[in-house]
Amino acid sequence: GNSVTQMEGPVTLSEEAFLTINCTYTATGYPSLFWYVQYPGEGLQLLLKATKADDKGSNKGFEATYRKETTSFHLEKGSVQVSDSAVYFCALTSGSARQLTFGSGTQLTVLP
Amino acid sequence: DARVTQTPRHKVTEMGQEVTMRCQPILGHNTVFWYRQTMMQGLELLAYFRNRAPLDDSGMPKDRFSAEMPDATLATLKIQPSEPRDSAVYFCASGLGAEDNEQFFGPGTRLTVL
């Protein structure tokens, strides 16, 4: 079956620091990969996605590259801001299954 | 500004009571999902509809949970009878149904069963 393993949190960084949140997956076929973000008290929002190997998704300074050889989709940002504080979820869909399979989430706190 | 709406946003009830949560998907979306979020289990899929037909409800405890789409603008999740272990945030999401399509999440219903 499908599964997503995500870096354990919480992660605390100073403003302007470099961020990496690791994500690896197991899936049948060729999954589509996503990063969702959840701000306090809100639902999840799509941050970025990649649908085939070597694709790079990017949005709001965040990037992630679909690496089929390492089955990974690590999230990176070169310089985080306080407003990036949230919970980040790696997820995938695969084959006929349209539902998202989520990782456990990583809480990010950015300090001024 | 198209959004998924959910009601109520918060619900506190006593064990044994019936709880109904409602979701209005984005107009034109043909897939609807119900997820449950808890600290211990994270995000779990409960049920999934396409064109109002249930496709997967394997994640849902059948003896007490039921999910329906009486029409294209309304999805409901019902718990009867509710138990304290049902306390969680319940999210509805909708999408256009392709594998790589974004799912749009509602703000959630925070349920507390005493």
Side-chain angles (χ1 to χ4, degrees), chain A:
Chain A
N2 298 337
S3 68
V4 177
T5 302
Q6 199 175 326
M7 185 170 112
E8 292 286 330
V11 174
T12 302
L13 296 173
S14 297
E15 204 164 25
E16 299 183 3
F18 185 85
L19 168 71
T20 300
I21 302 177
N22 289 339
C23 171
T24 57
Y25 66 89
T26 302
T28 53
Y30 302 95
S32 294
L33 303 174
F34 305 82
W35 277 99
Y36 278 79
V37 59
Q38 184 178 28
Y39 298 101
E42 298 184 10
L44 281 72
Q45 305 171 25
L46 180 67
L47 180 60
L48 53 85
K49 71 177 183 182
T51 59
K52 61 183 187 296
D54 300 324
D55 268 3
K56 178 186 284 188
S58 61
N59 186 26
K60 300 181 181 179
F62 291 88
E63 293 183 340
T65 300
Y66 189 140
R67 300 285 188 203
K68 190 169 186 296
E69 64 276 12
T70 55
T71 62
S72 65
F73 193 54
H74 305 321
L75 182 68
E76 296 182 337
K77 186 173 185 181
S79 175
V80 292
Q81 306 300 311
V82 173
S83 57
D84 293 328
S85 299
V87 181
Y88 292 81
F89 292 91
C90 186
L92 66 82
T93 59
S94 179
S96 61
R98 296 293 187 260
Q99 63 267 35
L100 289 161
T101 299
F102 286 97
S104 56
T106 301
Q107 171 78 56
L108 170 66
T109 301
V110 180
L111 303 175

